Amino acid sequence: NAGVTQTPKFQVLKTGQSMTLQCAQDMNHNSMYWYRQDPGMGLRLIYYSASEGTTDKGEVPNGYNVSRLNKREFSLRLESAAPSQTSVYFCASSESGNNEQFFGPGTRLTVL
Amino acid sequence: GENVEQHPSTLSVQEGDSAVIKCTYSDSASNYFPWYKQELGKRPQLIIDIRSNVGEKKDQRIAVTLNKTAKHFSLHITETQPEDSAVYFCAARGSGGYNKLIFGAGTRLAVHP
């Protein structure tokens, strides 16, 4: 039982490049989330998916897109990376009606 | 918009002392308040949570109190140990969407032996 996994662990991009961050969970959770963590700003919700087939914007969705591929997988895409998107990205999941969110190990992204 | 303020941003205590971290929230409809601990380079992990129908909850050396009227909640750690050193985040579930958590900016706790 791996919980929530994320790939890659580290990534360096040049401005304008695109990439997709992958997230998968094996806990049969309905809901999944993408956060970014910046120094002094806590965790900010980018997008979330309440259940398979649905996605909604969070606090800071600009510059990102998401895909809920199936119940297990939720990916985050940066179409044209900008230095302001340098951050640590965490994926999380939770059961419907149960509020505890379980986090993945994070992806450290640097955009030059 | 929805907001959670957390204080202090850093806290330094001696081993065995108590530590208190306070948070205030803006959305009066919030009904769930978790606390997460994040060790250096690791993922956030839930340590305790409280729901709006409860005023206080305790789990060994950790307790959380909630004052809905004042819209604030606090984390209390007693008999602190060096392994308590970490960044602690409070959060509140906003009313605007399903299980959306609004996080505070975090408190870096250092426990000195």
Side-chain angles (χ1 to χ4, degrees), chain A residues 59, chain B residues 1-6 23-33 66-73 90-96 101-104:
Chain A
E59 299 171 78
Chain B
E2 298 154 356
N3 185 49
V4 175
E5 292 190 1
Q6 182 171 349
C23 291
T24 59
Y25 59 97
S26 60
D27 186 351
S28 56
S30 294
N31 60 8
Y32 173 67
F33 308 90
L66 172 64
N67 183 328
K68 286 206 69 181
T69 302
K71 292 192 288 186
H72 68 70
F73 57 112
C90 63
R93 187 173 80 168
S95 60
L101 294 179
I102 307 298
F103 282 84

Side-chain angles (χ1 to χ4, degrees), chain A residues 4 31 33 35 37 40-43 45 48 50 57 59 90 94-101 103-105, chain B residues 2 32 36 38 41-46 49 51 87 89 93 96-106:
Chain A
V4 181
S31 302
Y33 315 83
Y35 292 91
Q37 183 174 36
M41 299 187 73
L43 292 142
L45 184 65
Y48 69 102
K57 295 178 180 180
E59 299 171 78
F90 285 99
S94 71
E95 288 190 27
S96 297
N98 182 327
N99 302 111
E100 179 176 1
Q101 294 186 16
F103 285 81
Chain B
E2 298 154 356
Y32 173 67
Y36 285 83
Q38 186 178 29
K42 301 287 182 65
R43 71 191 78 189
Q45 292 190 296
L46 181 75
D49 57 13
R51 299 178 193 273
V87 178
F89 293 97
R93 187 173 80 168
Y98 181 84
N99 208 19
K100 286 170 59 177
L101 294 179
I102 307 298
F103 282 84

Side-chain angles (χ1 to χ4, degrees), chain A residues 35-105:
Chain A
Y35 292 91
R36 60 178 288 173
Q37 183 174 36
D38 302 294
M41 299 187 73
L43 292 142
R44 292 183 292 168
L45 184 65
I46 305 171
Y47 270 93
Y48 69 102
S49 171
S51 61
E52 186 178 355
T54 68
T55 61
D56 286 286
K57 295 178 180 180
E59 299 171 78
V60 288
N62 291 345
Y64 305 96
N65 284 300
V66 291
S67 296
R68 185 73 183 267
L69 305 170
N70 48 55
K71 191 171 185 180
R72 290 187 63 249
E73 298 172 289
F74 188 38
S75 63
L76 178 72
R77 182 160 178 85
L78 287 71
E79 289 292 351
S80 178
S84 60
Q85 294 177 305
T86 293
S87 188
V88 179
Y89 291 85
F90 285 99
C91 177
S93 70
S94 71
E95 288 190 27
S96 297
N98 182 327
N99 302 111
E100 179 176 1
Q101 294 186 16
F102 294 83
F103 285 81

Side-chain angles (χ1 to χ4, degrees), chain B:
Chain B
E2 298 154 356
N3 185 49
V4 175
E5 292 190 1
Q6 182 171 349
H7 299 281
S9 56
T10 60
L11 181 58
S12 182
V13 300
Q14 291 297 124
E15 183 177 359
D17 287 350
S18 295
V20 180
I21 302 170
K22 299 181 180 182
C23 291
T24 59
Y25 59 97
S26 60
D27 186 351
S28 56
S30 294
N31 60 8
Y32 173 67
F33 308 90
W35 286 88
Y36 285 83
K37 176 183 180 182
Q38 186 178 29
E39 297 176 355
L40 189 62
K42 301 287 182 65
R43 71 191 78 189
Q45 292 190 296
L46 181 75
I47 55 171
I48 195 168
D49 57 13
I50 191 168
R51 299 178 193 273
S52 58
N53 58 346
V54 175
E56 183 174 357
K57 184 176 179 180
K58 189 173 182 179
D59 182 4
Q60 298 182 5
R61 296 185 296 108
I62 294 173
V64 58
T65 58
L66 172 64
N67 183 328
K68 286 206 69 181
T69 302
K71 292 192 288 186
H72 68 70
F73 57 112
S74 301
L75 178 71
H76 304 254
I77 306 174
T78 58
E79 301 172 27
T80 53
Q81 301 167 3
E83 52 264 39
D84 293 330
S85 296
V87 178
Y88 291 81
F89 293 97
C90 63
R93 187 173 80 168
S95 60
Y98 181 84
N99 208 19
K100 286 170 59 177
L101 294 179
I102 307 298
F103 282 84
T107 296
R108 184 174 299 279
L109 173 65
V111 180
H112 302 286

Side-chain angles (χ1 to χ4, degrees), chain A residues 4-30:
Chain A
V4 181
T5 57
Q6 292 181 235
T7 56
K9 285 187 167 53
F10 301 94
Q11 183 72 50
V12 178
L13 294 177
K14 295 181 179 178
T15 297
Q17 288 186 316
S18 63
M19 80 161 295
T20 300
L21 281 65
Q22 307 287 354
C23 174
Q25 52 91 11
D26 62 2
M27 295 177 282
N28 202 36
H29 286 167
N30 284 314

